[in-house]
Amino acid sequence: MNVTDTYEGTIERELFSAEEIAQAIARLAVRIAQDYCRRPVLLLGVLKGALYVAADLARALGGQPDGPSESAVDYLCVSSYGNASRSSGEVRLLKDATEPVTGRHVLLIEDIIDNGLTLGYLRALLGERQPASLRSCVLFDKPYHRLVDVPVEYGGLRVPDAFVVGYGLDYQEVFRNLPYLAQLRPEVFTDR
Ligand code: PRP
């Protein structure tokens, strides 16, 4: 991979600034707070991509008047892309949640939905554990290559049909810590 520590020359363009992402999360928090008003919710972030959105959404929810009565935060970890730029189509559970979900209001938090297999897999997995309710919040939506019709109750920003990185999204584990969402130059990834 031809990247430098400063990512110089690897970014095609910025798609959403840090401020635009923060605003989108604030909008999601308002909607979620209204729906979970005075009920406890278990926020389940999907690592690694959702490490930032789950943390930022949890804090934004805490600031909502008449929001959830309490917000527990947990993470699980799955992988479908490995180190490739295209999904392998095979979702693997690398680390399960530590919190029980049975009888609880569970909100899955994802950074992005693309073909939908990851979210479909997780909703089926967690649904078997009989939560009181199960919904999904996804910050970025790539609707162009959906393979399964999976519900997203709280959707954020639509992104172009391009390889995107930043704000949790990686290419070969790099770029996750960009504070904004960016389109990667095609010549950076070699496995297309
Ligand atoms: C990414 C992303 C979602 C999933 C969405 O995860 O974080 O979990 O792909 O893609 P899909 O809708 O096509 O299934 P990835 O497998 O790259 O792992 P990561 O979160 O550790 O980067």
Side-chain angles (χ1 to χ4, degrees):
M1 185 173 57
N2 179 28
V3 290
T4 68
D5 285 345
T6 59
Y7 309 145
E8 193 178 333
T10 60
I11 301 299
E12 181 91 41
R13 62 186 170 122
E14 180 179 302
L15 298 169
F16 294 106
S17 68
E19 188 180 359
E20 288 169 323
I21 291 171
Q23 288 167 351
I25 290 173
R27 289 194 296 271
L28 288 167
V30 169
R31 291 174 53 201
I32 292 166
Q34 285 170 350
D35 291 354
Y36 289 85
C37 177
R38 300 196 184 97
R39 286 184 294 162
V41 64
L42 172 60
L43 305 174
L44 260 188
V46 183
L47 293 175
K48 298 177 190 170
L51 84 167
Y52 298 118
V53 61
D56 287 347
L57 183 64
R59 287 184 294 191
L61 269 179
Q64 295 298 317
D66 295 327
S69 55
E70 58 183 47
S71 302
V73 183
D74 195 7
Y75 285 91
L76 46 73
C77 186
V78 297
S79 180
S80 63
Y81 280 62
N83 275 337
S85 63
R86 292 277 165 84
S87 172
S88 67
E90 181 198 355
V91 183
R92 290 185 302 141
L93 183 66
L94 302 181
K95 180 196 167 296
D96 206 341
T98 53
E99 283 294 297
V101 304
T102 305
R104 300 173 78 174
H105 296 290
V106 176
L107 180 62
L108 271 169
I109 304 175
E110 267 281 31
D111 52 337
I112 192 165
I113 180 169
D114 185 0
N115 62 36
L117 290 174
T118 305
L119 202 54
Y121 167 86
L122 286 173
R123 289 189 71 122
L125 180 82
L126 297 170
E128 284 174 6
R129 299 176 188 176
Q130 300 184 315
S133 67
L134 179 59
R135 292 181 179 175
S136 308
C137 174
V138 182
L139 180 59
F140 300 118
D141 184 13
K142 232 180 172 181
Y144 318 100
H145 306 284
R146 206 75 99 234
L147 293 178
V148 290
D149 188 19
V150 57
V152 175
E153 287 81 1
Y154 307 99
L157 303 165
R158 179 174 290 210
V159 302
D161 189 12
F163 198 86
V164 295
V165 294
Y167 198 71
L169 286 93
D170 74 309
Y171 176 58
Q172 298 189 345
E173 296 303 328
V174 184
F175 303 104
R176 288 194 202 274
N177 60 337
L178 285 178
Y180 52 88
L181 190 80
Q183 181 173 336
L184 207 57
R185 283 193 194 280
E187 55 267 32
V188 175
F189 45 98
T190 53
D191 60 328
R192 308 182 74 201

